[in-house]
Amino acid sequence: MGKIGKIWFSIVFVLFVIFMIIVIQTFRPVRNVQPDDVMKIAGTVIEIKEAPGFDIAITLENDNHYYYINRGLQHELTIEQLHTDLLNKKVTLYSIKRWTIFTRDGNMGHVSKILVDDQVIYNELNNDIHEQTTN
């Protein structure tokens, strides 16, 4: 292999390694969420609906992020109860913060905790001051 071939192979290898790091970071599963892994987001809930994969989608007023409770319908949450508890109310969401190629601002949208008037509606955080609501 000539000098140009070695340089080309080296460049392609480095680009492949960078690509793999980005893919692994982007598609790494969310497990064992700690309080330091989330960001606090306050807003008024304007829509709650069922999403694919037993998820529950939450839309906040004047916020273009997609928030969801992963497999929320399997955690004994119901759309009807969340409508009663959250709709048109000021809530505090705790969303996973992780940079990926798709979430450059660090807001993944995966909701790990929901508070309304200091009352916990949902909590999957480990080592949190509030009790977990998921198993």
Side-chain angles (χ1 to χ4, degrees), residues 56-101:
I56 298 172
I58 300 172
T59 304
L60 296 180
E61 186 176 44
N62 300 323
D63 191 335
N64 60 356
H65 289 94
Y66 175 77
Y67 297 105
Y68 66 98
I69 301 172
N70 192 41
R71 303 212 177 262
L73 296 174
Q74 293 179 336
H75 294 298
E76 298 180 9
L77 296 173
T78 64
I79 301 295
E80 296 78 22
Q81 186 60 43
L82 290 174
H83 271 270
T84 303
D85 293 343
L86 303 178
L87 199 58
N88 298 318
K89 294 183 182 175
K90 182 101 169 143
V91 300
T92 304
L93 303 178
Y94 291 82
S95 174
I96 301 289
K97 66 177 176 186
R98 182 190 301 166
W99 184 93
T100 70
I101 193 75

